[in-house]
Amino acid sequence: MGGKVLLLGMGMQGSAALYDLAKSEAVDYITVVDNKTDLDEKLRNYDNVKGISLDIENDQKDLINLMENADVVVELLPAKFTFPVAKMAVQVGKNLVSAMYFNDPGEEDPVKVQERRQDINALDNLAKEKGIILLSEFGMDPGLDLIVGKKAIEEFDEVVDFYSYGAGFPEFSCANNPLKYKFTWSITGVLMSYLRPAFIIKNGNIMEIAAREIFAEKNRHYLQIDELGDALESYPNGNSVHYAELLGIKNSVQNMARFTCRWPGHGDFWERMARCGFLDRKPISVGKLQISPLEFCAALLGGQKQFYYGPQERDVALIRVDVRGIKDGKEQRVIYQVIDYRDLDTGLTAMSRTTGFTASIGAQLILKGKITKKGLLTPLDIPYGMVEDEISMRGIKIEKNISN
């Protein structure tokens, strides 16, 4: 007998998660919550799926009531909802899978960072007491990249260099607008990620890259992958020091960084935008209105057809983990790589497949009882083989190359 899933969010990633969950023998019934006016139309081809229109920000009591009837909640909402929804799930004692961070990577106020860290620890302890699972960061990046990264590290006795790439961008042939980029997930989420500090390890030293400088030329490099048609601009993304600790390599690794990739020219534009304040979150006065520059930019870009994919255009999802170190006394290099493309038959983008399918797999593993650890978990708590088997059955291949 299968379980009941409450799927929050019917955007691109939610659509992919629903497509996958609906085919699973581990799932009997799915309730989809979103505020879209065409929700019923999106669900009309599914059996045992019910759509409920809800304002999640203001109808929290209704959302909690829906959670009480679910075995697992899959949260694929905009980032601002992630932690509040997690707290609701713990309140009612329900398992949860989210593709997002529970912390706020863009928050630079040390007091607020510490407060959130304390709240997360408290939530972890309460989840353990209630015997439930909170599986966070279980999408593509973060998610698959961390699972693959942990597997790559296991190939070594000592890790010296660790470089990780996670990116989604248009196939070169359809990178045909001024940004050479099209959106496959929350525009606000994309732009928020364009203004947050990064931490890398270089020659054994921790370096902080300021939020407004992640696109600076000195912080970018080019990545050549023959299958993709041109070199990719790569810029630092996230806190590599944090993941060095989680992966157990902080004491040995000399160079470590996580990167996102775009086609050349993208970084030059957004570096100027960041320095000019167009990505700031703090509202400014526009006539009688208060609006943040970031909100304005998201609305401006989101209202233009040129920044979305046409029916026959494909996006690319890239995960690449490049690790160098020592194995049996010899130098070794291991590269794990995923390149996925939009499925034109289903219309599902590569980003939605790699994110939504992964979140769906997490929910199914919980329903099948294959994840036994309780509390707040990350992708590093889930065995590589378990996920690799599932993801390959969905046509997403992880390739491996070893060299000296």
Side-chain angles (χ1 to χ4, degrees):
M1 182 176 178
K4 296 178 181 179
V5 175
L6 178 63
L7 174 60
L8 305 181
M10 193 56 184
M12 293 184 182
Q13 325 316 336
S15 297
L18 175 61
Y19 176 85
D20 195 66
L21 288 164
K23 297 193 296 181
S24 172
E25 294 180 356
V27 178
D28 274 347
Y29 194 82
I30 306 168
T31 302
V32 179
V33 175
D34 204 301
N35 61 357
K36 294 183 182 299
T37 56
D38 61 346
L39 184 58
D40 288 340
E41 175 64 21
K42 287 179 174 292
L43 303 180
R44 64 184 177 86
N45 293 325
Y46 290 101
D47 297 323
N48 297 323
V49 176
K50 178 182 180 181
I52 295 180
S53 181
L54 200 67
D55 182 346
I56 289 176
E57 194 160 14
N58 298 310
D59 297 333
Q60 294 187 6
K61 288 184 179 179
D62 292 336
L63 179 56
I64 287 174
N65 289 336
L66 291 171
M67 286 184 178
E68 289 177 340
N69 295 316
D71 296 304
V72 61
V73 178
V74 177
E75 184 274 312
L76 293 170
L77 297 165
K80 69 177 182 178
F81 294 111
T82 297
F83 194 60
V85 166
K87 290 195 288 186
M88 289 183 229
V90 174
Q91 178 182 332
V92 296
K94 298 298 179 178
N95 301 302
L96 176 133
V97 178
S98 174
M100 295 298 293
Y101 304 95
F102 280 11
N103 63 346
D104 181 353
E107 181 58 70
E108 297 187 68
D109 184 332
V111 174
K112 291 182 178 179
V113 170
Q114 181 60 25
E115 288 176 350
R116 175 58 65 88
R117 186 177 295 118
Q118 292 172 349
D119 288 343
I120 291 173
N121 290 338
L123 201 66
D124 178 29
N125 291 331
L126 187 55
K128 289 174 180 175
E129 289 178 15
K130 294 193 174 186
I132 60 173
I133 297 167
L134 300 177
L135 183 53
S136 66
E137 303 178 30
F138 210 72
M140 180 264 200
D141 175 9
L144 276 178
D145 63 329
L146 298 175
I147 296 169
V148 171
K150 181 181 178 182
K151 178 63 176 176
I153 286 171
E154 293 172 355
E155 307 275 357
F156 294 85
D157 298 321
E158 180 181 347
V159 171
V160 178
D161 300 328
F162 183 105
Y163 300 109
S164 176
Y165 301 82
F169 44 85
E171 196 170 18
F172 190 70
S173 61
C174 64
N176 51 11
N177 60 45
L179 298 181
K180 296 184 179 178
Y181 183 76
K182 298 182 179 183
F183 294 101
T184 52
W185 58 293
S186 163
I187 301 174
T188 300
V190 172
L191 299 188
M192 286 174 65
S193 75
Y194 283 4
L195 190 69
R196 65 187 188 201
F199 293 85
I200 67 173
I201 300 173
K202 186 172 183 179
N203 298 325
N205 299 310
I206 296 173
M207 296 180 59
E208 178 179 1
I209 300 173
R212 298 184 194 279
E213 296 181 4
I214 61 171
F215 286 109
E217 186 174 1
K218 65 181 179 180
N219 295 321
R220 301 194 311 253
H221 69 275
Y222 287 92
L223 175 67
Q224 182 70 52
I225 299 178
D226 292 340
E227 303 99 296
L228 298 181
D230 196 2
L232 292 162
E233 258 180 8
S234 302
Y235 62 93
N237 172 38
N239 188 342
S240 296
V241 179
H242 170 68
Y243 288 108
E245 293 174 350
L246 291 180
L247 290 163
I249 59 174
K250 187 178 178 183
N251 292 332
S252 68
V253 71
Q254 293 298 298
N255 298 286
M256 181 169 178
R258 290 162 56 83
F259 299 101
T260 299
C261 304
R262 298 288 187 259
W263 293 120
H266 196 84
D268 286 339
F269 176 83
W270 286 110
E271 183 194 9
R272 291 181 174 87
M273 292 291 281
R275 291 185 181 278
C276 290
F278 281 92
L279 297 177
D280 290 357
R281 297 193 208 179
K282 185 178 180 180
I284 61 173
S285 296
V286 182
K288 295 181 179 181
L289 300 177
Q290 291 288 312
I291 186 170
S292 72
L294 183 143
E295 185 181 2
F296 164 75
C297 284
L300 178 63
L301 297 176
Q304 300 182 51
K305 185 177 179 180
Q306 64 174 326
F307 296 115
Y308 293 93
Y309 289 87
Q312 298 302 311
E313 292 182 337
R314 300 195 304 179
D315 71 317
V316 182
L318 169 70
I319 295 172
R320 181 182 173 96
V321 176
D322 185 344
V323 185
R324 306 170 198 193
I326 306 299
K327 176 67 174 179
D328 297 330
K330 298 180 180 179
E331 292 184 354
Q332 178 172 280
R333 180 183 185 185
V334 175
I335 297 175
Y336 279 82
Q337 184 168 281
V338 176
I339 299 177
D340 193 52
Y341 295 89
R342 182 185 186 186
D343 182 342
L344 295 179
D345 291 332
T346 63
L348 296 174
T349 66
M351 282 294 290
S352 66
R353 282 164 48 84
T354 50
T355 303
F357 286 3
T358 303
S360 170
I361 289 168
Q364 292 175 56
L365 293 175
I366 291 173
L367 290 173
K368 293 174 182 178
K370 292 189 175 182
I371 302 175
T372 57
K373 188 177 180 180
K374 307 300 181 183
L376 176 56
L377 310 184
T378 74
L380 301 178
D381 294 298
I382 312 302
Y384 171 84
M386 191 181 294
V387 176
E388 197 275 337
D389 288 344
E390 293 287 342
I391 209 77
S392 65
M393 288 191 294
R394 292 156 174 83
I396 300 171
K397 303 298 182 183
I398 302 174
E399 298 180 347
K400 172 184 172 182
N401 179 269
I402 299 180
S403 60
N404 295 324

